[in-house]
Amino acid sequence: MATHSSARPGASKRSGSQLSPEAIIEASLRVAARGGDDAFTVRRLGQELGCDPTAIYRHFRDKDELLLSVADRTLGEALDGVPHGLPWRDRLRTLAAESLRVGMKYPVVSSLMASRTTRRPNEFRIVELILGAVHEAGLSGPDAVVHYRMFGDSVLAYVGQHAALQMFAPTEREGDESAWSREYRLADRQRFPYIAGLVEELAAVTHEEIYAARIEALLDKIERRAAEARAVTDPAGAGAPSAETTAQQR
Amino acid sequence: MATHSSARPGASKRSGSQLSPEAIIEASLRVAARGGDDAFTVRRLGQELGCDPTAIYRHFRDKDELLLSVADRTLGEALDGVPHGLPWRDRLRTLAAESLRVGMKYPVVSSLMASRTTRRPNEFRIVELILGAVHEAGLSGPDAVVHYRMFGDSVLAYVGQHAALQMFAPTEREGDESAWSREYRLADRQRFPYIAGLVEELAAVTHEEIYAARIEALLDKIERRAAEARAVTDPAGAGAPSAETTAQQR
DNA sequence: ACCTGAACACCGTTCAAGT
DNA sequence: ACCTGAACACCGTTCAAGT
């Protein structure tokens, strides 16, 4: 099937396909978005690229290296959805929403990334965005860092958790999701009075409500911690909080 | 290697081993606690039990079924670490701490469970515990359920995230963890002023601080939401909050 | 009735061989 | 210089064969 070799530098030696880190990353995003069981395997990737699966190892040391590169792309996609000029709370809220949206677009990637760090450009940009937001909120030093991590890690974990759930084969997912309306409905009223008293609510609650509660809890925490910090450094004027602390440093 | 067969009912037909769901679950916990790459594979399990790997399929439909059973055991172990009689906030705090402790004891299990529901007895007990705590805090109905899920899902996700990180081969883990003190230290001061200004703090922050901030954020949210709810139903006496609402219903 | 073990359809990865 | 593809050491799972 493979034919000839034109000597144009950088041109393909194969019919229609050319191999480069870029091309491999883009193929990964395509198959990841398509979903399914083999959504991110080297064999599936070889198929998508029209080349031998192991050719990928010419451009990435191993699959983990590729994953980090692909994941960093998805971080960039989430970032692009966050408009400039929003006040810090809306900025973080939007970042959380975009992270979830993009994460669900590439579930294999985000489920594998939930406990990772890409150490790549777009991650730097996200860290900078969150640090800027918590600074604007009024946090600095170790406080800024702890609360940035609290927020960032939490979003990452939630998105990964949700993506992993979505990836399950329908039968298993259905088992997990319908538990609230099936198994929990059969709970013994004596041993589990609270569950028994809330079966309807347990079955009706949505992921959106849960995510919103979680994000707002974190944003509230940042705001309150900033208020505490201000009360210490500036015991008098705790009235009008953030006009000056809002100034960006570039 | 396998020998003879004594006909005692329930006794082993093999030297030293006997197969039952119970024995398989306990073997799973042992190998999971021991850690390593093959910490939870059917072949490793067969080795631990001194039987053929596929014998497990006599007692569990598939590996997922076994995982849920094993995971439910670990939930029980976490529950056992939560003393009775604690006020709601301490009860949830202790549950979070115990979940992390037990989760790190069986990292393979907790990383696989992060997005799952066991639908088994100990999960019921944990749900009941959390629902009881948020009730004591002053939440009811949909509010109680949303905040229970917020708390429960968040703890599960964090523990899974942390366990997955711990499971990485040393080289990859070191890459991820040292990122803060290596790659981030090299960040361009022009493009990433906040990162550059906080490199020391980024490298110094601990998982314990981050977890504590996260848990306290969730507990604060529950408390404040309960205060809002009280203000609506009982606009007058928002002063002494929880003495009566504390009453358990059994 | 219960366990065995060969076999199947997958993984990620290596490396000698091709061009 | 770059890609190929057989091969290796793994997975979870099935099923005919043993006892």
Side-chain angles (χ1 to χ4, degrees), chain B residues 19-28 58-60 66 69 73:
Chain B
L19 229 43
S20 65
E22 201 57 23
I24 295 170
I25 291 170
E26 265 150 28
S28 302
R58 286 272 129 206
H59 300 93
F60 294 93
L66 172 59
S69 297
R73 283 299 188 83

Side-chain angles (χ1 to χ4, degrees), chain A residues 70-82:
Chain A
V70 173
D72 202 63
R73 283 300 187 83
T74 70
L75 294 185
E77 200 171 322
L79 257 176
D80 292 342
V82 183

Side-chain angles (χ1 to χ4, degrees), chain A residues 222-238:
Chain A
I222 292 170
E223 193 162 319
R224 290 163 62 76
R225 182 77 193 103
E228 282 173 34
R230 261 194 303 276
V232 171
T233 57
D234 176 25

